[in-house]
Amino acid sequence: MSTIVVDTITGASKTGPNILFAINAQTGTSYTTVLADSGKVVTLNNSGAISLTIPPNSSVAYPVGTRIDFIQTGAGQVTVAGGTGVTVNSTPTLKLRAQHSGASCIKIATNTWQLLGDLASS
């Protein structure tokens, strides 16, 4: 059975048994997501701590329901933060647990996101 996937940003569709994710490889100590990250996997690779920012809707108008996946590929711990006016909810923290941990951030309202995944306990 084939799956039809529609990109919510471009409207393009793809039919096939497998869904492929584009990868946006980041190597700095800070990164702010962009509209093109919607539906992608962002890898974060640095030996130092990494600050990942989700920008406000006024800067990047992701549709509600947008999902962005993250993987901490380096040793530097990733901390997710909301830009001005943005709330990122999670439990227990906003930090990925360790190298090779993954998390997803889903937009649930105009400036509200939910982070879930392999998160640090403190």
Side-chain angles (χ1 to χ4, degrees), residues 38-77:
S38 176
K40 288 186 180 177
V41 175
V42 177
T43 59
L44 301 141
N45 184 2
N46 199 291
S47 60
I50 301 168
S51 175
L52 174 71
T53 303
I54 307 296
N57 191 72
S58 59
S59 297
V60 181
Y62 295 104
V64 170
T66 294
R67 174 178 157 178
I68 305 171
D69 296 321
F70 303 104
I71 301 171
Q72 178 183 315
T73 57
Q77 188 174 41

Side-chain angles (χ1 to χ4, degrees), residues 43-115:
T43 59
L44 301 141
N45 184 2
N46 199 291
S47 60
I50 301 168
S51 175
L52 174 71
T53 303
I54 307 296
N57 191 72
S58 59
S59 297
V60 181
Y62 295 104
V64 170
T66 294
R67 174 178 157 178
I68 305 171
D69 296 321
F70 303 104
I71 301 171
Q72 178 183 315
T73 57
Q77 188 174 41
V78 175
T79 300
V80 179
T84 302
V86 176
T87 300
V88 180
N89 296 304
S90 72
T91 188
T93 67
L94 291 169
K95 295 181 178 188
L96 276 64
R97 185 179 57 82
Q99 187 172 14
H100 305 298
S101 290
S104 296
C105 210
I106 302 166
K107 186 173 184 177
I108 59 172
T110 301
N111 277 309
T112 306
W113 292 74
Q114 184 68 46
L115 180 67

